[in-house]
Amino acid sequence: MSAYDLLIAPFADYGFMRRALVACLCLALGSGPIGVFLMLRRMSLMGDAMSHAVLPGAAIGYLVAGSLSLTAMGIGGLVAGLSVALLSGIVSRATVLQEDASFASFYLTSLALGVLIVSLRGSNIDLLHVLFGTILAIDGPALVLIGSITSVTLIALALVYRPLVAECFDPGFLRTVGGRGPVYHALFLLLVVLNMVASFQALGTLMAVGLMMLPAAVAQLWGRSLTAMIALAAGTAAVSGYVGLVASYHLELASGPTIIMTAAVIYGLSILFSPSGFARRLFPSPHLKG
């Protein structure tokens, strides 16, 4: 098998593979930076909670459309995700519950409700598609939706980059200088929900957070500045998408899980060989002597 047959032919010969690759690249550009900010804010598990929170809306979109319409399910997921984020914030401010506990309660409820809604009208195959995604079934409208979300994310991050960084590292300073910390926090949550909807289109609710947090973890192991971490996260997510699609095509594996497992392999190698990894600690380099 030539290099062309191995690496290029799947995308040159099949339109669904090209659409899947474009979707992965869009997700990498949008979800990678968002994952870095989630990790810096110590909200990594909140990303997982939000990925499950979109399930009831996606299920309702599925029932309304009468089929696995990714556009209808995406719109429903967006409404559901924003509702959960808003309700969690209200509950955490009106009660003694912390925001993470509030998110956990709502996401568990959302996951159960979404599975129940799909099981009422759909088959087990439909439920599997909702939970694990159908990246090879990405159509034109869904691809436009994913690309639009990525564009909005990049533009928003460019506009609020400095106050968002300040809100991550020193929210007290931002309040002191008159910054609108809660506004930027709400905007950031909106971007998280939007990217979860985009990831849901391709990877399903159970793995939507995969291309967001695994590349961000890799970036934190290798990067020494915020800009480097953002670039590394986006690059890792893009490589994971491409390699995962190629591997799933040739090995006849499910594409979504293969993409996430590729990112997991890169994460495992980073744990071993990054500057702070196990290999460096087991075999430290000798210090230079003057």
Side-chain angles (χ1 to χ4, degrees), residues 58-68 113-127 130:
I60 293 174
Y62 162 74
L63 293 181
V64 171
S67 62
L68 285 170
L113 178 61
V115 173
L116 182 62
I117 291 174
V118 175
S119 64
L120 288 176
R121 297 281 296 275
S123 64
N124 290 334
I125 300 298
D126 295 331
L127 182 59
V130 171

Side-chain angles (χ1 to χ4, degrees), residues 225-242:
S225 67
L226 182 56
T227 53
M229 289 172 61
I230 290 174
L232 283 169
T236 301
V239 170
S240 299
Y242 172 76

Side-chain angles (χ1 to χ4, degrees), residues 191-203:
L191 294 178
V192 172
V193 173
L194 284 173
N195 281 273
M196 285 302 169
V197 170
S199 298
F200 161 79
Q201 302 282 326
L203 301 171

Side-chain angles (χ1 to χ4, degrees), residues 43-180:
M43 297 171 64
S44 302
L45 292 179
M46 195 212 76
D48 185 55
M50 294 307 302
S51 69
H52 298 316
V54 305
L55 183 56
I60 293 174
Y62 162 74
L63 293 181
V64 171
S67 62
L68 285 170
S69 170
L70 297 181
T71 302
M73 293 166 66
I75 295 174
L78 175 62
V79 174
L82 290 176
S83 300
V84 168
L86 179 62
L87 290 173
S88 298
I90 293 174
V91 169
S92 64
R93 285 164 176 75
T95 67
V96 296
L97 286 176
Q98 297 296 319
E99 192 171 30
D100 58 343
S102 179
F103 266 115
S105 303
F106 277 104
Y107 106 75
L108 289 171
T109 304
S110 299
L111 180 61
L113 178 61
V115 173
L116 182 62
I117 291 174
V118 175
S119 64
L120 288 176
R121 297 281 296 275
S123 64
N124 290 334
I125 300 298
D126 295 331
L127 182 59
L128 287 175
H129 285 171
V130 171
L131 293 179
F132 297 104
T134 53
I135 190 168
L136 296 183
I138 294 289
D139 56 9
L143 195 57
V144 169
L145 177 61
I146 294 173
S148 300
I149 290 175
T150 298
S151 301
V152 169
T153 299
L154 294 177
I155 293 172
L157 287 178
L159 291 175
V160 300
Y161 179 79
R162 291 174 64 87
L164 189 60
V165 171
E167 210 267 333
C168 284
F169 290 104
D170 195 350
F173 169 78
L174 191 63
R175 288 194 299 268
T176 301
V177 299
R180 299 180 177 88

Side-chain angles (χ1 to χ4, degrees), residues 257-269:
T258 305
I259 291 171
I260 302 304
M261 284 304 302
T262 302
V265 169
I266 297 174
Y267 171 64
L269 293 174

